[in-house]
Amino acid sequence: MVTYDDFAKLDIRVAKIIEVEKIPGKSKIIKGIIDLGEEKRQVIIGGAEYYQPEELVNRKVIVISNLEPRKIAGVESNAMLLAADLNDRPFWLTVNEDVPLGTKIK
């Protein structure tokens, strides 16, 4: 169990994937740039074996924006995309309405 105070520490926001590129030698992850409204960040996106890069561009996603940066495959990731996981395949969490980028999830 976590407390509400623990949950409240997470800065969960709406973002849009605006760029993606393959990482040489990697088949399950790609490098992406997300737009959080007032800033853009580099992230690692999993599930590359299930999605073509062009399928991810312009997709609105939900991210945790205040995790410590982490280097994966030599690339620094500055947020975490949230996904439902079914047999190791990510299904990216998103919103259906036209919600501004950077909108906080609570």
Side-chain angles (χ1 to χ4, degrees), residues 25-99:
K26 300 295 176 187
S27 61
K28 294 185 177 188
I29 59 173
I30 56 175
K31 180 169 77 170
I33 303 294
I34 58 168
D35 186 346
L36 284 160
E38 293 188 11
E39 68 175 304
K40 294 174 178 57
R41 293 192 190 176
Q42 178 174 275
V43 295
I44 293 294
I45 303 171
E49 68 271 37
Y50 301 107
Y51 299 97
Q52 293 300 312
E54 57 274 8
E55 290 179 272
L56 297 173
V57 174
N58 292 320
R59 187 178 287 210
K60 280 190 177 176
V61 292
I62 306 301
V63 302
I64 299 176
S65 65
N66 64 336
L67 289 178
E68 290 182 354
R70 183 172 176 196
K71 255 194 180 175
I72 303 169
V75 178
E76 187 171 273
S77 187
N78 294 291
M80 177 187 282
L81 282 67
L82 296 180
D85 179 79
L86 182 60
N87 300 320
D88 288 327
R89 180 181 178 165
F91 292 86
W92 304 112
L93 300 186
T94 189
V95 292
N96 291 329
E97 287 81 22
D98 189 22
V99 177

